[in-house]
Amino acid sequence: MTLLIGLLGCGTVGSGVVELVERRADKIAQMTGLRPSIAKILVRNKEKARPSSIDPAKLTTDPKDILDDPKISLVIETIGGIEPAREFILAALKAGKHVVTANKDLIALHGPEILETAERNQVDILYEAAVGGAIPLVRPLKESLASSDITDLKGIINGTTNYILSKMTDAGLSFDEALSEAQRLGYAESDPSSDVDGLDAARKLAILSSIAFASIVELSDVRVQGIRNVTAADVRFADQLGYVIKLLAVGKDRDGRLSLEVRPSLVPKSHPLAHVSESYNALYVRGDAAGDLMFFGQGAGSMPTASAVVGDVIEALRNIQLGVSGHSQNLIGTQKTAEASKDLTPYYMRLSAEDQPGVFAEIAKVFGETEVSMSNVLQTPTRLGHADIVVVTHNASAQHMDITVKRLQELRHVSVIHTVMPVES
Ligand SMILES: NC(=O)c1ccc[n+]([C@@H]2O[C@H](COP(=O)([O-])OP(=O)(O)OC[C@H]3O[C@@H](n4cnc5c(N)ncnc54)[C@H](OP(=O)(O)O)[C@@H]3O)[C@@H](O)[C@H]2O)c1
């Protein structure tokens, strides 16, 4: 039996989905008993050049051709953004159609509304492709690891920033040079803010945390710091100290209190996350029974993302056949309190100060008085009479570090504190 699909959007991900559904249709029919067929494809511009796998006769610019067609049982959304994607998905769910989406913005901002609408209408809403591209994360957290209490998520979940930081580390490029190269190669958009300011990673962390920690997670619960302040000097100092700089998304559940942060961090060169380079993604998960796991793979791109989308389509078809549609999203629990992490961690700090006798002693005195002890110090002269001073601390609380920074800023001989980053152990 054939199951008709309506595809909303046919860009990078959508065109990959069309190709993969056609290539795998027979196999999927064998696996599920239903043969998927993409009947109609919604686009903005029908005249645009598209891959040869796209049948122009299936293109439409009228969403009603899909949303109001009772023969279409499943809708795949690959338009992106909030509106009109939200409106289309809600309409599809209310019309009793199952929905598969790759839209992290929408799930991060309107997840509860969309999941509740699917549940009310007893249809599936699946969104594996919204986080981590080809890497299965949503389903393992929802299903395979449901027997564990997940306490920690730590990962590199934005390929653009990882590419930029990799180029700064491996090729010695500045932030601006690495960003230009990422834009030239299509890894970064012309407006890169959502990636470099950490918002894309924050949205993905919100989605993953809501599943892993069984809590409603608001995007505003995630503290976000991007990579614009990471300089070539930080990358060099980190290297000398035995670290690489990565934009880490970190989620913790400590007895029902969540701390969620996206921030550039120093990762020891021996840590598995230090070896995740270029546009690859990885997520470290710690569960009380499962122990430590790491998921690694391609976090974006046409075929890797299509592979996750089509995986969800297969799940939806199986659910239809088993008569259990609409039951897979009932996992989100109540809202847990989100707060700054109370865990102690070492910190890296780089500051510029006048290079004269007594200045370092003043700086060291502030660290002593704020009870943050130093474990490593590097000093390099920069311009005439000034030096870059790098301090790596022993374990300290975020609160003590904030006080230390404030006190250092008050010192007459300290001109600027460039960077403060946690150091992963
Ligand atoms: N690209 C990736 O590697 C990747 C990875 C993971 C997740 N995602 C997610 O996948 C989704 C799609 O991303 P993408 O990179 O494939 O985007 P894209 O290349 O920009 O494609 C968007 C598609 O949606 C269509 N579209 C846009 N606005 C529309 C409207 N108002 N009405 C009808 N059609 C409209 C466009 O039509 P035209 O073709 O006529 O312009 C285009 O076909 C996003 O949610 C993104 O976050 C992408």
Side-chain angles (χ1 to χ4, degrees):
M1 211 168 97
T2 301
L3 181 127
L4 296 186
I5 294 175
L7 176 64
L8 307 176
C10 191
T12 307
V13 178
S15 56
V17 168
V18 174
E19 192 187 324
L20 197 55
V21 166
E22 279 182 10
R23 206 199 295 164
R24 302 280 297 169
D26 290 342
K27 273 263 157 57
I28 296 172
Q30 274 171 23
M31 283 189 275
T32 66
L34 287 172
R35 189 171 208 287
S37 168
I38 294 181
K40 284 174 199 155
I41 304 172
L42 178 75
V43 291
R44 237 178 337 205
N45 175 7
K46 275 168 71 170
E47 311 312 318
K48 201 166 163 180
R50 306 203 183 259
S52 57
S53 52
I54 311 296
D55 177 357
K58 292 182 177 172
L59 296 179
T60 176
T61 53
D62 185 355
K64 289 199 187 107
D65 285 347
I66 292 174
L67 301 173
D68 292 353
D69 184 344
K71 293 193 289 305
I72 291 180
S73 316
L74 190 149
V75 166
I76 301 174
E77 185 272 316
T78 63
I79 289 176
I82 302 301
E83 294 296 356
R86 174 177 159 274
E87 180 197 329
F88 292 166
I89 287 182
L90 290 175
L93 295 171
K94 286 175 188 165
K97 300 180 195 306
H98 308 284
V99 172
V100 171
T101 176
N103 194 329
K104 60 204 150 222
D105 303 358
L106 196 55
I107 297 295
L109 288 168
H110 297 281
E113 179 190 25
I114 288 170
L115 300 194
E116 277 161 23
T117 307
E119 191 169 315
R120 257 201 319 277
N121 291 281
Q122 290 294 288
V123 287
D124 276 345
I125 169 81
L126 299 164
Y127 50 92
E128 180 67 68
V131 192
I135 315 168
L137 296 175
V138 172
R139 197 167 293 115
L141 287 173
K142 248 189 197 180
E143 295 173 8
S144 329
L145 296 172
S147 56
S148 277
D149 272 340
I150 306 293
T151 55
D152 294 79
L153 299 176
K154 187 183 293 177
I156 295 167
I157 52 177
N158 178 270
T160 307
T161 44
N162 202 43
Y163 182 85
I164 292 171
L165 292 171
S166 295
K167 286 293 152 191
M168 290 175 75
T169 305
D170 302 338
L173 301 188
S174 68
F175 171 79
D176 289 335
E177 288 166 339
L179 172 59
S180 299
E181 187 175 312
Q183 284 171 322
R184 190 170 50 77
L185 294 171
Y187 291 134
E189 293 178 23
S190 50
D191 175 3
S193 358
S194 162
D195 291 317
V196 299
D197 294 331
L199 298 175
D200 177 83
R203 288 179 193 133
K204 292 169 179 168
L205 180 63
I207 295 172
L208 292 173
S209 303
S210 70
I211 304 166
F213 305 137
S215 172
I216 294 167
V217 173
E218 309 281 348
L219 193 54
S220 56
D221 292 336
V222 185
R223 289 156 189 263
V224 191
Q225 192 190 330
I227 63 163
R228 282 188 204 268
N229 290 342
V230 177
T231 62
D234 292 313
V235 170
R236 275 196 308 275
F237 280 121
D239 180 57
Q240 278 181 52
L241 292 161
Y243 299 95
V244 289
I245 299 177
K246 296 286 184 189
L247 183 70
L248 292 189
V250 180
K252 298 173 190 170
D253 185 341
R254 299 285 177 265
D255 298 323
R257 303 183 89 79
L258 305 186
S259 72
L260 310 167
E261 279 183 291
V262 170
R263 65 207 183 178
S265 308
L266 270 70
V267 177
K269 287 178 185 173
S270 56
H271 193 288
L273 287 175
H275 305 283
V276 177
S277 57
E278 305 262 318
S279 61
Y280 277 85
N281 282 197
L283 184 75
Y284 223 82
V285 179
R286 174 169 291 173
D288 61 348
D292 290 355
L293 301 101
M294 187 158 132
F295 298 82
F296 168 82
Q298 292 196 53
S302 181
M303 270 302 153
T305 311
S307 116
V309 169
V310 177
D312 276 351
V313 169
I314 294 168
E315 178 174 338
L317 299 191
R318 282 198 178 116
N319 289 346
I320 293 170
Q321 291 290 65
L322 294 169
V324 295
S325 303
H327 294 287
S328 51
Q329 62 277 353
N330 292 335
L331 288 158
I332 291 188
T334 49
Q335 191 153 14
K336 295 181 178 173
T337 309
E339 59 187 18
S341 172
K342 291 201 167 74
D343 286 2
L344 303 181
T345 187
Y347 282 87
Y348 161 101
M349 179 190 289
R350 182 168 68 87
L351 56 86
S352 281
E354 286 172 30
D355 194 4
Q356 53 174 275
V359 172
F360 186 74
E362 265 183 39
I363 293 170
K365 188 162 169 254
V366 168
F367 274 88
E369 286 170 358
T370 54
E371 294 172 41
V372 175
S373 84
M374 298 175 170
S375 87
N376 212 335
V377 178
L378 296 175
Q379 183 165 349
T380 313
T382 47
R383 58 203 157 89
L384 198 62
H386 277 76
D388 252 359
I389 296 174
V390 166
V391 177
V392 178
T393 72
H394 285 293
N395 274 343
S397 68
Q399 198 192 4
H400 275 111
M401 279 309 289
D402 287 346
I403 298 168
T404 310
V405 168
K406 236 191 206 137
R407 290 277 313 276
L408 288 171
Q409 279 165 337
E410 287 162 7
L411 294 183
R412 197 158 51 88
H413 301 291
V414 171
S415 33
V416 58
I417 297 175
H418 297 283
T419 358
V420 180
M421 290 184 268
V423 177
E424 290 300 323
S425 46

